């Protein structure tokens, strides 16, 4: 049942996304999870405590988060599956955990701004999908940032949730999304979260491991089917450069994307005014532009289609067992 659920969820999200009307009316599951994380942060993350105590508090917060989200998703899934056409209703719920459509839309908006708008409009558009400082970015840096975000979010916004939904159903997908959201909110290294967010960051690294490798392979395969991209170069670059990335997972899709397109991604960037000397992934050109974002989006669309096909095959096989 899990593989057909994942397939239907992908198709639903691709067709309708998450309507803005519902966002305004009821919010989004990720925002609900975020509010719970923020509540736990305020009540359990005491700066006056020792590092060991804050690590234990962070672990407790993570366990409470997963318990609440897991139980809520489990009860919802079981209830929906009892209804007529329950699998479809469950798929609609699961589709909220996947970001195929919204990822494409947000990245395409950056290309639109670079092609027909101003540099300030492009910086504003890219600021919606990256955490780095965008004020100093020129056209090339904006384009690279958009492509990097597309590659990384293909992994943790599409492939990973589909993987966990396909393996463990709506419940597993919701638990994955809770872990991923916790890492984005409290898992980064800062004075406040160095200890409190340690458990969230470590668990996020673990649950994203299969999705990141799979997303890299999908991008390599997609490069072989996309005009102007190179599958052999994508594979070589991923094998050579993925481990250079500070993240144990993000380097795989980013390096594969860089190699496929013949561009260099990564490099120096700034966060909250602090310069980070990141490594370069790929040995291609660094002067990226809107046309490279368009090429990346074509590659992404092909990789996503391959993912849908793969899930459909698994669903068909499991249906006959």
């Amino acid at each position: 049942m899990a593989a057909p659920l994942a397939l239907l969820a992908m198709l639903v999200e691709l067709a309708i996304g998450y309507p803005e009307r519902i966002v305004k009316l009821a919010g989004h599951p990720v925002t609900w999870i975020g509010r719970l994380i923020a509540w736990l942060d305020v009540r359990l993350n005491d700066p006056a405590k020792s590092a060991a105590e804050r690590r234990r508090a962070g672990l407790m917060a993570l366990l409470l988060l997963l318990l609440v989200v897991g139980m809520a998703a489990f009860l919802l899934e079981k209830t929906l599956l009892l209804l007529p056409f329950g699998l479809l209703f469950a798929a609609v719920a699961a589709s909220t955990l996947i970001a195929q459509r919204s990822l494409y839309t947000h990245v395409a908006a950056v290309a639109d701004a670079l092609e027909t708008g101003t540099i300030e409009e492009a910086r504003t558009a890219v600021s919606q999908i990256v955490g780095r400082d965008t004020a100093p970015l020129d056209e090339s840096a904006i384009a690279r940032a958009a492509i990097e975000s597309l590659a990384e979010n293909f992994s943790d916004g599409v492939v990973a949730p589909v993987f966990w939904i396909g393996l463990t159903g709506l419940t597993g997908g919701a638990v994955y999304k809770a872990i991923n959201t916790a890492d984005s909110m409290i898992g980064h290294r800062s004075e406040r979260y160095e200890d409190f967010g340690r458990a969230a960051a470590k668990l996020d690294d673990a649950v994203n491991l299969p999705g990141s490798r799979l997303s890299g392979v999908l991008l390599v395969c997609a490069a072989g089917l996309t005009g102007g991209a190179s599958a052999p170069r994508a594979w070589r670059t991923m094998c050579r450069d993925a481990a250079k990335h500070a993240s144990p997972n993000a380097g795989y899709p980013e390096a594969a994307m860089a190699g496929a397109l013949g561009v260099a991604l990564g490099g120096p960037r700034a966060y909250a005014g602090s310069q980070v000397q990141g490594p370069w992934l790929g040995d291609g050109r660094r002067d990226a532009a809107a046309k490279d974002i368009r090429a990346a989006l074509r590659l992404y669309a092909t990789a996503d289609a391959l993912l849908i096909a793969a899930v459909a095959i698994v669903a068909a096989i499991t249906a006959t067992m």
Side-chain angles (χ1 to χ4, degrees):
M1 189 67 73
L5 175 64
L7 175 62
L8 280 174
M10 291 189 76
L11 295 177
V12 168
E13 198 279 333
L14 199 60
I16 63 174
Y18 194 85
E20 189 64 29
R21 185 180 304 173
I22 297 178
V23 174
K24 293 178 180 178
L25 182 66
H28 189 280
V30 172
T31 64
W32 306 338
I33 291 170
R35 290 192 191 104
L36 178 55
I37 295 168
W39 185 85
L40 291 167
D41 180 21
V42 169
R43 281 152 183 80
L44 297 178
N45 189 8
D46 185 354
K49 299 289 186 180
S50 68
E53 288 174 317
R54 294 176 78 182
R55 283 195 292 271
R56 287 194 292 271
L59 178 59
M60 181 184 298
L62 181 62
L63 292 175
L64 287 171
L65 171 69
L66 300 186
L67 178 64
V68 171
V69 172
M71 286 301 298
F74 176 80
L75 292 173
L76 177 62
E77 182 173 21
K78 293 302 180 184
T79 301
L80 291 176
L81 290 176
L82 291 174
L83 300 174
F85 306 104
L87 183 61
L88 179 58
F89 288 123
V92 172
S95 73
T96 65
L97 307 173
I98 305 170
Q100 304 162 105
R101 187 186 180 101
S102 62
L103 177 57
Y104 188 100
T105 300
H106 280 88
V107 175
V110 181
D112 292 341
L114 286 174
E115 289 170 343
T116 61
T118 66
I119 192 70
E120 288 302 326
E121 289 173 335
R123 287 170 181 151
T124 299
V126 81
S127 71
Q128 304 301 308
I129 55 174
V130 299
R132 72 194 65 176
D133 297 343
T134 58
L137 301 184
D138 60 13
E139 180 179 350
S140 291
I142 290 170
R144 291 197 305 270
I147 296 169
E148 290 164 24
S149 182
L150 177 63
E152 183 176 356
N153 283 289
F154 176 53
S155 175
D156 60 21
V158 179
V159 179
V162 167
F163 175 86
W164 289 110
I165 293 168
L167 191 66
T168 58
L170 174 61
T171 304
V175 167
Y176 165 78
K177 186 58 70 173
I179 296 168
N180 191 241
T181 305
D183 177 64
S184 68
M185 291 181 65
I186 64 173
H188 50 86
R189 294 193 172 185
S190 66
E191 185 176 352
R192 180 172 179 83
Y193 298 120
E194 177 74 29
D195 298 302
F196 185 75
R198 181 181 179 86
K202 293 295 184 182
L203 186 56
D204 184 71
D205 286 344
V207 297
N208 272 302
L209 190 148
S212 64
R213 276 64 176 174
L214 179 56
S215 63
V217 171
L218 285 168
L219 287 168
V220 170
C221 293
L225 301 172
T226 306
S230 169
R233 190 173 57 210
W235 176 257
R236 288 195 305 270
T237 305
M238 183 177 69
C239 292
R240 185 192 66 203
D241 292 348
K244 295 179 182 178
H245 202 286
S247 164
N249 295 311
Y252 286 85
E254 287 189 29
M257 181 74 82
L261 301 178
V263 298
L265 300 176
R269 72 280 305 275
Y271 295 92
S274 298
Q275 194 74 12
V276 175
Q277 297 298 323
W280 287 100
L281 307 180
D283 50 13
R285 53 192 172 79
R286 299 179 185 180
D287 57 337
K291 65 178 182 179
D292 297 299
I293 301 177
R294 299 294 185 192
L297 286 167
R298 289 192 294 272
L299 187 66
Y300 161 73
T302 304
D304 190 54
L306 290 175
L307 177 62
I308 293 173
V311 175
I313 291 170
V314 174
I317 293 172
T318 56
T320 61
M321 295 176 63

